Amino acid sequence: MLSYQHAFHAGNHADVVKHLCWMGVLNSLKKKDKPFTLYDSHAGAGTYNLKDDMSAKNQEFLTGISALANVTPSADLLREYLALCNTFMSENCYPGSPAISAVEKRSDDVLHLMELHPAEYSKLEQNIKALRIKNVRVHKRDGYEGLRALTPPKPNRGAILIDPPYERASEYNDVLKGVKDVFKRWQQAQIVVWYPLLSARAGAKHGASEKMLEQLTELGRPCFKAEICIAENEHDAGMYGSGVLVINPPWQLDQQLSCALLEAVKHMGPVASTNLTWLNKDA
């Protein structure tokens, strides 16, 4: 199935937690002069016009990035994220993870963007070309196949963002298999997995994220989860929140991300909340 297009959800609460975390990972990698490689398994269109028909239909950005528009943050990570977003928001656009990665990486670092959806791939090509940043590779291919083919990188430094739409219940198992496959070849990989938090209305997918997290934790790697919830977990809530699982996280990312999220949720609605929990402290 290739029906999902992220423009309907661009800039929402899920993007806030995902992109704050991803920027924290990139900041850590940049602390050393040695180049690194980034992989985005489900890249999407790269950037999103918040005034086009798809983004304007649900206006999910109103409880996400737009809720933070007038915030003067004290948390360093939140300040850096909003500063980057503001350069795009001035043109009514929101930067997806491909744009964030491209802008934040250094000239010698390499970025691989994988997208299989024909319409999304076409937009991704155009949007990345418009940024005019070197060492960005755009691939029309399955993200998990791309990870198998392109890892490990040389030099052996880098990170992976896995952000599928979870349209099918089987996609949770796809993530688990994809992560296992990476670790067969690349033990040092830092991996960020985004996941939805779904109420009972989701049927077969209710509880699937929680089961996936348990299975990923059983791989024995150091990992923590960080979540934002913007609604109560009631039967008809739908996606009441989302989170990221960070495997092999860089030092102090948990503290930096927690500070940023605690500050962000104060502006994201009356019941918005966040939590960060270590699932495996040590390898």
Side-chain angles (χ1 to χ4, degrees):
M1 291 176 64
L2 291 173
S3 58
Y4 179 87
Q5 294 190 62
H6 188 67
F8 289 108
H9 314 286
N12 68 356
H13 61 89
D15 276 352
V16 172
V17 64
K18 174 174 54 183
H19 295 153
L20 274 170
C21 180
W22 188 237
M23 283 193 67
V25 171
L26 301 187
N27 287 345
S28 178
L29 286 168
K30 291 191 290 185
K31 289 179 180 178
K32 293 184 178 180
D33 291 337
K34 198 173 183 179
F36 56 79
T37 303
L38 304 173
Y39 303 87
D40 195 330
S41 67
H42 298 75
T47 61
Y48 302 92
N49 184 341
L50 299 183
K51 290 198 176 284
D52 73 13
D53 290 342
M54 285 191 286
S55 296
K57 182 176 181 179
N58 298 328
Q59 295 189 314
E60 292 186 16
F61 53 84
L62 293 178
T63 55
I65 188 61
S66 292
L68 304 174
N70 297 315
V71 174
T72 303
S74 57
D76 290 341
L77 184 56
L78 183 59
R79 182 169 59 251
E80 293 169 13
Y81 165 67
L82 293 180
L84 186 152
C85 288
N86 286 340
T87 63
F88 289 83
M89 293 288 284
S90 63
E91 311 233 342
N92 295 312
C93 284
Y94 180 80
S97 51
I100 291 173
S101 300
V103 170
E104 287 293 297
K105 80 174 192 66
R106 303 161 305 188
S107 60
D108 290 340
D109 304 323
V110 177
L111 171 60
H112 291 283
L113 303 171
M114 289 163 276
E115 179 54 53
L116 196 55
H117 190 294
E120 292 287 87
Y121 173 77
S122 178
K123 294 173 186 175
L124 178 64
E125 268 199 317
Q126 296 172 20
N127 291 334
I128 291 300
K129 185 176 181 180
L131 293 176
R132 305 180 72 171
I133 295 174
K134 63 181 290 191
N135 285 332
V136 180
R137 323 276 195 247
V138 181
H139 307 266
K140 188 179 182 183
R141 68 197 304 178
D142 174 79
Y144 302 113
E145 180 276 325
L147 292 177
R148 287 194 298 271
L150 299 171
T151 61
K154 294 182 181 180
N156 194 346
R157 297 185 72 230
I160 297 170
L161 177 61
I162 299 178
D163 174 28
Y166 299 102
E167 289 185 293
R168 294 172 284 106
S170 61
E171 289 186 76
Y172 296 89
N173 286 327
D174 293 341
V175 172
L176 178 62
K177 183 179 185 302
V179 171
K180 286 181 176 179
D181 285 347
V182 167
F183 282 135
K184 288 177 183 177
R185 292 178 304 282
W186 188 15
Q187 299 287 321
Q188 296 85 0
Q190 297 178 28
I191 303 180
V192 175
V193 177
W194 175 83
Y195 57 89
L197 294 172
L198 302 173
S199 73
R201 192 181 78 187
K205 291 190 284 188
H206 175 57
S209 288
E210 291 81 354
K211 181 180 178 181
M212 180 183 71
L213 292 185
E214 290 178 8
Q215 293 171 318
L216 289 169
T217 301
E218 288 170 1
L219 298 179
R221 305 279 171 170
C223 60
F224 68 77
K225 65 176 182 178
E227 298 176 345
I228 284 181
C229 295
I230 61 161
E232 301 292 344
N233 181 13
E234 299 174 343
H235 183 277
D236 291 328
M239 190 172 84
Y240 63 90
S242 71
V244 286
L245 178 73
V246 190
I247 309 175
N248 288 338
W251 185 59
Q252 292 189 331
L253 175 62
D254 58 334
Q255 300 171 38
Q256 297 160 7
L257 183 57
S258 182
C259 288
L261 292 174
L262 284 168
E263 189 171 359
V265 296
K266 294 177 183 177
H267 308 277
M268 296 175 68
V271 300
S273 64
T274 184
N275 69 84
L276 189 150
T277 307
W278 276 91
L279 303 178
N280 279 336
K281 262 287 191 185
D282 301 304

